[in-house]
Amino acid sequence: MKILRYKDFEKSLIALGKKGGNYKRAYEQVCAVLGKAHNSGDPFESLKRTKHGEQRIEKCIKYDLIGFCRLITTRDSGYVILLFCGAHADCDKWIESNRGLKVKADPNARAVVVLESIDIQSSQTRLSGGLPTFPGRLLDRLPKKIRNKLMAGVPAFFTKALSEMSSITDEEEILEAVCHMQISDQQRTAIYDVLTLLKKGDWQHAENRANAFFGNLLPISDSTVLKESEFLRELPPDPKQHQELLEHYIKTADYKDWMLFMHPDQNQFVDTDYPGAFKISGVSGSGKTCVVVKRAIRLASLYPKEKILILTLNRSLAELIENLVTYVAANDAIRKRIKVLPFFALCQQLLNKFDPKNEKLYVDVTWKGEEHVDGIWAEYYRCELNNHDAQVMQKVHDSLIARGIDAESYIREEFDWIRSVVSTKKRNDYLHLSRTGRAYPLDGAFRSSLLDGLKSWEKKMRDIGVTDYLGISTALYAHIKKIQPMYRAILVDESQDFGTIELEIISRLATPQKNHLFFCGDAAQQVLHKHQDFKAAGIEFSSGKSNKLSRNYRNGRDILRVAHTVLVKNLADQMVDNKEFEVLDPNLSHFPGDSPLLLSADSLSQEIAAAKRHAEEQLQNDQKQKTCLVICGYSLYELQDFGKQQGIPVLDGTKKRARALDNASIFISDLENSKGFEFQRVCILNCSNTVIPYPGSPEKEQFRDLARLYVAMTRAVTQLILSYTGKPSGFLRPAKNDFLEESWLSYLNIQPSELESISEPLKIDVIRRPHDDPQTPIAQMTGEQFLYTKHAIGLDLSLIEKIRSLITGKRATHDGRPVAWENFADAKAAIENHPSARKQFGADLDAFKVLLSEHLN
């Protein structure tokens, strides 16, 4: 007898144990059976079979447990499959939703679950449909090759009738249609089953059922040696270990349950030893993080006296991985030897060792005044507080904004790119490097001025007592020769966002040998402006090309379908010049999820209020539901302030937020920091055409905004909502037909007055200024001040130069004629009253008047 566990079994057993009382005693009964599983004889002999059989699942055996609970199994050809356990009502509900369940073997002997009617003439033994789950026709959801083979020989009249059926078609109508067809009973039953499963939105089981009819899946027999799959797993060989794991899982949070189950495609990367560094690429939802966690645990067991390191860039993701390691590793000794760190924290630790005098420098919030580095950057770049060091970059700034580019953001990203590829001592190499991934050309003079600006920005941070993310990598790289191996193995999650300098630092922390470096990434989720070259970082992979995980296990099929469409239909060849960039075509998951929604509102505040209300309503139905409100167009710093005002945790990687993952149900995130998480529901707000892609970024670099949006979309497990005000983002246009479109008010069936009053998040310029220091109105701005605002982006370069040279903050005259003005109000009065003033603007006068009418009237 060989015992296998179905994918629902462990979760049902854990849920039973958590209920306490007689349910806990029933749980202990099942655990006692599992403890005898590897002994000779029948471990189930101590349990009493139920009096009534079960017609809905073939070869089903149900056992009575304490407290009116049941254990559901099947027996077939020497295999016992543990399917489900729970209270009587829960078991009946599970059987009803899994009618006709059979275990078969694919050509590679992997276990596959098929849902198959025993007799379609009986309501007790045929599959039953569910509620409508998606718009459109049922058969359109099957791959064309499968559809054509399934319908082979069906008369044209019936083929047309069946092809028009949708998820609102009654199952009795499906039954009547197939029963009138002059085809074999086997094909008639297969067509009925496939249509019924499609009606429920169960695409994977529909395909499995068709493949069973084609003979691609075979019944198991006494000679079959079944291999594990995503559906069925063997019991751990050590019953004590299995019991310890169960006891550990029963005390932990439900949102991590997905970590309990892995597909063999994933397992191979966990269990294989590699001669050196190794890299895998995987689509979103393919379980890369799961692979990293379980491989780290395996390596910690393999090397019992050595330390294992898991690295990622995203602090929120690092906290999640740490939780998952704690969750999966039942052994305290193993957990303690696995260190999980965001790269920033790793650099902090090493710099505290190599440069202890500057310990307080290496944070992104100043120790002096709780001032975030984002605000300090704005202060530096705009030459505030009488610090004019950034003026060296004014020609680059003017050139960029004349091209419609937000220079303040672009130059900060350029600083990141520079520091990701060259060390401080080799900065001059930047003057002639090919700027991979950057679209706007910069000549030698511009690059030189940017190096001067970067130098003064780094000095500004040192003076204040703060550093930004790439700054800490740069600081650590100065001590590169001091870095010695500290870990037996290092595993890197989301490796696509690590730059060359960071990779070289990582390579020095582990001695080159078997299993020393392991990288997981997805080029489609590359969101940072960095140069990446593994070879230049001294990392050679042991097997040439990277291996791939193409199967998505997490997202509903329609969610991944629409996310992938948005991604690939917006990518242009010129956007991608990174040799590491490869967008994998995902194999869709086996469950449907809800159809993606595209909802409109009158304002962003209404979007936020409506999404929050929707999340709260869903919690009334299921307290375990978790929803993430992802807000486009805002930085993490801005959303931290907003989350604090609303009392909603933000995915920012702090310890406090990490604890909230278990306890809270609604979260806020920017696009980027949702990476690595999964939520039953994701509402992406502010997806308006004026917000994403960001209008101030070069068109050929907007694929990073696209990647961020794709990341956020693929965080949704069962429901994805995209929301906008005005017009939706152009990114969504290729997938327009895949969304159900409506307004938030119609979707919630409410009036505007019923929504909670919520203010929009504040932008950094408001957050960083005290209430007694309001932002200067445009009328009182100098030309330099105005050219740092969003209003200047897109102006003609000639007009930009006039504004900078004529509105200087001081009035000036020449031969009694005004030639310079204090501010915009002063310039406006001059050109209205003095012809000589108008001559100063020359051919740009009309454009300047338009500008004044837009902002001063």
Side-chain angles (χ1 to χ4, degrees):
M1 177 186 297
K2 194 168 185 179
I3 301 177
L4 301 176
R5 50 197 167 119
Y6 184 53
K7 66 180 182 65
D8 292 349
F9 172 72
E10 209 120 38
K11 187 174 181 179
S12 70
L13 180 58
I14 292 168
L16 187 63
K18 284 185 176 181
K19 289 184 177 182
N22 280 338
Y23 297 113
K24 182 66 180 292
R25 292 175 63 196
Y27 158 84
E28 290 168 350
Q29 273 186 287
V30 178
C31 289
V33 170
L34 298 180
K36 302 173 186 175
H38 299 283
N39 299 339
S40 59
D42 186 345
F44 299 91
E45 62 183 2
S46 62
L47 299 180
K48 181 181 177 182
R49 295 190 184 191
T50 58
K51 294 180 181 179
H52 304 289
E54 181 53 66
Q55 294 183 329
R56 291 170 291 180
I57 296 178
E58 267 190 348
K59 302 179 181 180
C60 180
I61 298 175
K62 296 189 296 186
Y63 295 96
D64 282 321
L65 303 174
I66 293 169
F68 300 102
C69 296
R70 302 286 185 271
L71 169 63
I72 304 169
T73 70
T74 61
R75 291 199 180 205
D76 189 3
S77 303
Y79 286 93
V80 176
I81 314 294
L82 302 170
L83 295 174
F84 191 86
C85 62
H88 182 276
D90 293 333
C91 289
D92 190 69
K93 182 178 178 181
W94 183 89
I95 291 173
E96 187 60 30
S97 63
N98 288 274
R99 279 191 183 200
L101 185 147
K102 294 181 180 178
V103 177
K104 299 194 175 187
D106 70 8
N108 297 315
R110 288 178 56 249
V112 177
V113 171
V114 178
L115 300 182
E116 182 176 330
S117 294
I118 299 170
D119 179 4
I120 62 173
Q121 298 300 331
S122 168
S123 61
Q124 292 295 311
T125 59
R126 67 171 177 256
L127 303 187
S128 58
L131 296 173
T133 55
F134 63 90
R137 300 182 297 187
L138 295 175
L139 287 175
D140 287 349
R141 300 286 163 154
L142 273 184
K144 187 176 181 180
K145 185 177 180 180
I146 294 178
R147 182 171 69 241
N148 291 343
K149 191 172 182 180
L150 179 67
M151 303 302 292
V154 176
F157 171 79
F158 288 106
T159 299
K160 186 176 186 304
L162 295 176
S163 67
E164 294 299 324
M165 291 182 175
S166 69
S167 63
I168 63 173
T169 301
D170 190 273
E171 66 188 73
E172 294 294 335
E173 186 179 340
I174 299 174
L175 181 63
E176 182 179 358
V178 299
C179 285
H180 281 87
M181 295 189 297
Q182 299 301 309
I183 53 177
S184 69
D185 289 343
Q186 291 83 357
Q187 187 176 12
R188 184 181 294 114
T189 302
I191 293 174
Y192 170 82
D193 287 349
V194 168
L195 288 169
T196 303
L197 290 166
L198 289 173
K199 176 177 164 59
K200 293 169 66 175
D202 198 342
W203 328 125
Q204 183 64 57
H205 279 124
E207 291 181 20
N208 288 351
R209 179 65 182 92
N211 281 317
F213 168 64
F214 301 152
N216 298 333
L217 303 176
L218 301 174
I220 58 176
S221 65
D222 292 336
S223 61
T224 304
V225 181
L226 277 177
K227 298 177 182 176
E228 292 183 323
S229 71
E230 69 267 38
F231 298 104
L232 290 165
R233 297 292 301 276
E234 295 182 15
L235 289 176
D238 180 358
K240 182 181 178 182
Q241 179 192 25
H242 186 250
Q243 180 64 24
E244 287 176 353
L245 287 171
L246 280 174
E247 293 293 345
H248 179 64
Y249 294 145
I250 205 168
K251 298 173 184 176
T252 54
D254 289 335
Y255 81 93
K256 310 183 201 78
D257 282 340
W258 63 281
M259 291 300 298
L260 295 174
F261 223 80
M262 288 187 71
H263 188 278
D265 290 348
Q266 299 166 311
N267 265 330
Q268 64 172 313
F269 297 119
V270 172
D271 297 334
T272 303
D273 290 323
Y274 302 106
F278 193 78
K279 178 163 70 76
I280 65 171
S281 299
V283 299
S284 176
S286 60
K288 298 184 298 297
T289 299
C290 182
V291 168
V292 165
V293 169
K294 290 206 168 183
R295 182 172 176 83
I297 290 169
R298 173 181 170 267
L299 294 178
S301 301
L302 186 64
Y303 308 116
K305 296 183 179 180
E306 300 184 81
K307 294 186 294 183
I308 309 298
L309 174 66
I310 299 177
L311 277 179
T312 188
L313 286 179
N314 185 309
R315 283 184 289 193
S316 298
L317 180 57
E319 294 295 345
L320 173 65
I321 293 174
E322 187 170 31
N323 287 351
L324 293 174
V325 168
T326 301
Y327 181 66
V328 177
N331 186 310
D332 283 340
I334 289 177
R335 280 204 304 276
K336 290 177 180 177
R337 286 189 293 104
I338 299 175
K339 192 73 174 176
V340 183
L341 290 172
F343 189 74
F344 191 96
L346 172 70
C347 292
Q348 284 178 314
Q349 291 181 7
L350 292 173
L351 282 167
N352 290 343
K353 176 181 177 181
F354 299 144
D355 190 13
K357 293 181 181 179
N358 289 314
E359 178 180 352
K360 292 182 178 180
L361 172 62
Y362 304 119
V363 294
D364 57 358
V365 178
T366 66
W367 56 271
K368 294 177 181 176
E370 290 298 305
E371 192 176 4
H372 194 277
V373 71
D374 288 358
I376 298 167
W377 164 257
E379 174 189 298
Y380 159 76
Y381 186 81
R382 300 176 194 181
C383 301
E384 297 173 352
L385 302 181
N386 294 317
N387 181 344
H388 301 287
D389 290 344
Q391 285 182 343
V392 69
M393 300 181 291
Q394 282 184 348
K395 288 187 177 180
V396 186
H397 174 94
D398 292 352
S399 176
L400 286 167
I401 64 173
R403 296 288 189 96
I405 298 171
D406 182 343
E408 186 171 335
S409 296
Y410 193 86
I411 290 176
R412 191 176 185 189
E413 291 163 356
E414 188 73 9
F415 283 1
D416 286 350
W417 191 94
I418 295 169
R419 291 178 293 174
S420 74
V421 65
V422 291
S423 64
T424 305
K425 293 180 179 180
K426 297 182 178 180
R427 286 274 170 85
N428 284 338
D429 290 354
Y430 168 67
L431 298 175
H432 53 77
L433 281 176
S434 174
R435 295 165 56 249
T436 304
R438 304 295 276 164
Y440 184 79
L442 297 171
D443 63 21
F446 278 3
R447 294 193 191 199
S448 180
S449 63
L450 288 177
L451 288 181
D452 290 339
L454 175 55
K455 185 176 180 179
S456 60
W457 165 234
E458 290 172 330
K459 179 180 182 300
K460 167 82 172 181
M461 288 190 287
R462 286 194 302 273
D463 291 345
I464 289 182
V466 69
T467 189
D468 64 355
Y469 175 71
L470 266 297
I472 201 165
S473 302
T474 301
L476 179 57
Y477 194 84
H479 304 276
I480 189 72
K481 293 183 179 180
K482 300 177 186 176
I483 299 176
Q484 298 296 320
M486 298 171 57
Y487 299 94
R488 175 57 183 79
I490 300 174
L491 301 95
V492 181
D493 196 17
E494 305 292 355
S495 61
Q496 73 278 354
D497 282 328
F498 280 78
T500 306
I501 290 292
E502 295 153 329
L503 292 173
E504 186 175 347
I505 290 171
I506 291 169
S507 71
R508 287 185 168 255
L509 288 166
T511 301
Q513 57 187 310
K514 182 171 72 174
N515 295 330
H516 76 298
L517 295 177
F518 186 85
F519 297 88
C520 277
D522 176 14
Q525 299 185 55
Q526 187 179 28
V527 299
L528 300 180
H529 297 76
K530 292 183 181 178
H531 175 277
Q532 184 184 83
D533 188 330
F534 283 93
K535 190 172 183 179
I539 299 172
E540 297 281 353
F541 292 111
S542 57
S543 63
K545 286 190 173 182
S546 64
N547 285 273
K548 301 176 178 64
L549 281 169
S550 298
R551 167 69 71 177
N552 176 284
Y553 301 98
R554 178 179 59 211
N555 308 108
R557 288 173 69 97
D558 280 357
I559 292 173
L560 186 60
R561 192 194 312 274
V562 74
H564 192 64
T565 298
V566 167
L567 176 68
V568 299
K569 296 296 184 182
N570 286 291
L571 279 177
D573 291 340
Q574 68 269 25
M575 289 180 179
V576 184
D577 58 359
N578 184 347
K579 62 184 179 182
E580 297 286 339
F581 196 100
E582 179 186 15
V583 177
L584 302 179
D585 190 20
N587 296 320
L588 303 184
S589 61
H590 66 274
F591 68 98
D594 297 339
S595 294
L597 299 171
L598 182 59
L599 303 181
S600 61
D602 295 333
S603 65
L604 174 57
S605 59
Q606 188 181 81
E607 290 182 55
I608 297 171
K612 182 171 179 280
R613 178 180 176 125
H614 177 52
E616 291 169 343
E617 288 177 349
Q618 298 307 306
L619 280 173
Q620 295 174 11
N621 301 322
D622 184 354
Q623 289 295 317
K624 296 177 183 177
Q625 293 266 333
K626 292 185 184 290
T627 299
C628 188
L629 308 182
V630 179
I631 306 180
C632 302
Y634 288 86
S635 71
L636 184 61
Y637 177 50
E638 292 163 341
L639 293 179
Q640 284 174 317
D641 177 78
F642 180 67
K644 188 184 300 182
Q645 301 299 324
Q646 296 298 320
I648 301 176
V650 178
L651 300 181
D652 59 6
T654 63
K655 293 288 184 182
K656 182 179 179 181
R657 300 297 182 268
R659 290 192 295 270
L661 288 173
D662 286 336
N663 303 317
S665 299
I666 302 175
F667 303 84
I668 291 173
S669 178
D670 61 352
L671 286 168
E672 184 176 323
N673 280 278
S674 63
K675 181 182 294 186
F677 290 85
E678 66 173 47
F679 301 91
Q680 282 81 10
R681 180 174 301 98
V682 171
C683 301
I684 307 179
L685 312 177
N686 212 21
C687 293
S688 305
N689 65 337
T690 56
V691 177
I692 185 167
Y694 178 50
S697 61
E699 183 177 352
K700 292 181 180 180
E701 293 189 32
Q702 289 177 349
F703 68 88
R704 290 193 179 87
D705 282 338
L706 177 62
R708 293 183 180 99
L709 180 61
Y710 174 73
V711 165
M713 292 175 73
T714 54
R715 301 309 97 196
V717 176
T718 57
Q719 186 180 45
L720 172 65
I721 299 175
L722 277 74
S723 172
Y724 68 95
T725 299
K727 294 182 179 180
S729 166
F731 282 157
L732 306 182
R733 196 174 299 119
K736 184 175 177 62
N737 294 333
D738 295 317
F739 288 103
L740 296 178
E741 294 192 55
E742 207 171 350
S743 72
W744 268 111
L745 297 179
S746 297
Y747 180 68
L748 298 177
N749 194 24
I750 59 172
Q751 298 298 318
S753 58
E754 297 178 62
L755 284 176
E756 177 185 355
S757 177
I758 294 179
S759 300
E760 296 181 5
L762 300 176
K763 302 300 287 186
I764 190 171
D765 284 340
V766 179
I767 297 171
R768 71 189 184 95
R769 292 176 182 275
H771 293 298
D772 59 356
D773 182 23
Q775 189 168 0
T776 305
I778 290 177
Q780 302 302 315
M781 285 184 181
T782 65
E784 180 177 290
Q785 290 172 325
F786 176 78
L787 293 176
Y788 289 125
T789 71
K790 301 292 189 280
H791 306 296
I793 298 174
L795 295 180
D796 185 81
L797 183 59
S798 176
L799 177 58
I800 290 170
E801 292 172 347
K802 292 284 176 56
I803 290 172
R804 187 178 292 283
S805 62
L806 296 177
I807 308 175
T808 61
K810 295 180 180 179
R811 291 181 182 177
T813 60
H814 180 71
D815 292 336
R817 294 174 297 173
V819 294
W821 295 274
E822 184 177 351
N823 52 43
F824 271 75
D826 194 19
K828 181 176 184 291
I831 64 172
E832 287 175 350
N833 299 306
H834 299 285
S836 60
R838 293 192 285 273
K839 289 181 180 180
Q840 293 293 110
F841 284 90
D844 298 303
L845 179 62
D846 290 340
F848 185 62
K849 286 182 177 179
V850 170
L851 186 67
L852 293 174
S853 67
E854 288 177 350
H855 298 295
L856 269 67
N857 289 341

